[in-house]
Amino acid sequence: MTSAAGAINLLSQAAPSEVAESVFDFLHMEMVNYVQQSTPAGASHKDEVVYKLERIGFQTGQATIERCTKDVHRFKDQLDVIKFLCKEFWTLAYGKQIDNLRTNHRGVYVLQDNRFRVFANISNSKQFLENAAPYAAFACGMLRGALANLGIVSVVTADLGQTLPSCLFQVKML
Amino acid sequence: MIFNLYIFDRSGTCVYYSEYHRPRKATLSQDEEFKLTYGMLHSIKSFVTRISPKPVREGLHYYKTSTYKLNYFETLTGLKIVLNTDPGVGDIHDLLQQIYSQIYVEYVVKNPLCTPGEKITSELFETRLNALITSLPYFAT
């Protein structure tokens, strides 16, 4: 599981051969599906699903950042790290950069992706909004794992407040 | 002119139906119409394969009557896309292929919230499909 998103893209970076992106898309779909079905129903079902997916993402993020920072210079500060995540890391994992980055300069960063890959095929309106939450959990974990491996402990949550293909990731440094 | 569109899955369920122009309404319920259409297509397909004097590759492509032309496209996985147009419209095999690969696969197969074998409820799918169909030069003429 540790290799899912990153390895696929890293492979295609190393060699110009093409790797189908759909493979990751389908694997991700099945992963969410599996976690949803294998989690016992109950009051905390939703939280538990998100938690499990987030943890898988965390490990993936840790491993991915390990590989994609091997040729990168030392980061100046926290903001530098976040910028790196928005540009290189997100491109590696989701094929595009984060569209908007906001911060309150006190350890809270909001990363906005206007066309989040995982949601792009689901909807471009409010339809399916309430069922989409678990599909962002893996990405949250990816970010948290990447940060953890760079020495920053954080909490990452996804916010799907608006219409669908866009997604906000809130990163809170602890 | 484009009249209407059916998408059947492998088991014969009509997973999507859309009407663009239909001057004459059917005299039976929609479910019955789907069944009738599917049954007829199934029969024509087997008729076509059995009666053909040459080995069959794709089988049924379209048939034409004096009032409409039924265009038929079937994928290897058994998904059937049926588009009724007026008889003047030429070969639209590529269009049906495009509907399958660029719209059905993208917005139904790659949408984890669409269950295979059930009616397609995705609005995104519908929007994209309608955008493609209505942009055709022979859509309304």
Side-chain angles (χ1 to χ4, degrees):
Chain A
M1 214 53 248
T2 43
S3 56
I8 289 168
N9 286 301
L10 281 168
L11 272 177
S12 58
Q13 209 180 42
S17 62
E18 285 185 14
V19 177
E21 289 181 327
S22 350
V23 174
F24 169 64
D25 292 342
F26 292 136
L27 183 63
H28 183 256
M29 273 163 62
E30 280 317 308
M31 189 172 70
V32 177
N33 201 1
Y34 172 75
V35 171
Q36 273 175 332
Q37 287 181 359
S38 64
T39 306
S44 61
H45 178 263
K46 272 186 181 166
D47 294 341
E48 221 165 296
V49 167
V50 169
Y51 172 70
K52 282 184 186 171
L53 288 165
E54 211 257 5
R55 223 174 34 188
I56 300 171
F58 181 82
Q59 292 187 357
T60 313
Q62 268 190 319
T64 314
I65 199 78
E66 198 76 68
R67 289 198 61 182
C68 72
T69 48
K70 62 183 178 357
D71 310 315
V72 176
H73 291 294
R74 210 148 266 290
F75 296 114
K76 278 205 308 282
D77 51 15
Q78 228 173 42
L79 188 65
D80 224 25
V81 175
I82 296 280
K83 277 187 189 159
F84 178 81
L85 289 187
C86 291
K87 289 183 184 157
E88 322 309 318
F89 182 74
W90 207 249
T91 311
L92 200 69
Y94 292 101
K96 69 186 282 289
Q97 293 186 3
I98 288 284
D99 294 296
N100 192 357
L101 168 66
R102 271 172 292 160
T103 173
N104 67 353
H105 298 290
R106 261 177 274 131
V108 178
Y109 297 86
V110 178
L111 285 63
Q112 182 179 348
D113 190 339
N114 292 332
R115 196 172 182 282
F116 182 43
R117 242 286 281 292
V118 179
F119 293 159
N121 294 331
I122 295 185
S123 160
N124 63 351
S125 60
K126 289 211 182 301
Q127 200 195 13
F128 297 130
L129 195 63
E130 65 268 36
N131 297 326
Y135 292 89
F138 179 81
C140 289
M142 285 275 280
L143 285 171
R144 195 169 66 89
L147 283 166
N149 218 355
L150 296 169
I152 301 170
V153 182
S154 61
V155 175
V156 182
T157 47
D159 179 11
L160 328 172
Q162 310 136 344
T163 55
L164 252 198
S166 83
C167 186
L168 297 176
F169 297 94
Q170 199 190 66
V171 182
K172 211 184 206 163
M173 310 293 178
L174 293 180
Chain B
M1 182 167 314
I2 302 232
F3 295 140
N4 57 1
L5 173 110
Y6 305 82
I7 299 180
F8 294 101
D9 76 353
R10 194 175 39 200
S11 55
T13 321
C14 184
V15 292
Y16 186 77
Y17 175 74
S18 179
E19 211 165 276
Y20 302 96
H21 304 98
R22 188 164 178 168
R24 192 182 151 268
K25 300 283 171 244
T27 48
L28 56 162
S29 81
Q30 207 170 40
D31 273 346
E32 273 178 84
E33 184 192 310
F34 295 156
K35 269 188 210 152
L36 210 59
T37 311
Y38 185 79
M40 179 204 61
L41 289 167
H42 192 77
S43 314
I44 296 190
K45 226 180 72 184
S46 81
F47 169 76
V48 162
T49 20
R50 282 188 217 184
I51 214 76
S52 169
K54 279 186 173 177
V56 178
R57 298 188 105 189
E58 279 188 68
L60 178 63
H61 240 99
Y62 68 87
Y63 75 74
K64 236 191 236 191
T65 75
S66 55
T67 46
Y68 75 103
K69 177 182 172 197
L70 179 141
N71 301 273
Y72 179 82
F73 173 80
E74 182 172 344
T75 68
L76 289 175
T77 51
L79 189 86
K80 297 156 187 74
I81 302 178
V82 179
L83 188 66
N84 285 319
T85 63
D86 75 288
V89 172
D91 185 11
I92 54 166
H93 196 253
D94 288 349
L95 171 76
L96 298 183
Q97 159 83 47
Q98 202 183 347
I99 292 178
Y100 170 62
S101 67
Q102 290 175 16
I103 297 179
Y104 181 82
V105 171
E106 284 301 313
Y107 302 112
V108 177
V109 177
K110 289 192 184 174
N111 182 348
L113 299 172
C114 283
T115 331
E118 279 177 21
K119 284 226 180 316
I120 299 170
T121 50
S122 166
E123 286 163 13
L124 182 58
F125 168 81
E126 197 157 14
T127 323
R128 291 294 147 92
L129 181 66
N130 287 344
L132 175 69
I133 301 256
T134 48
S135 73
L136 294 168
Y138 42 83
F139 174 68
T141 50

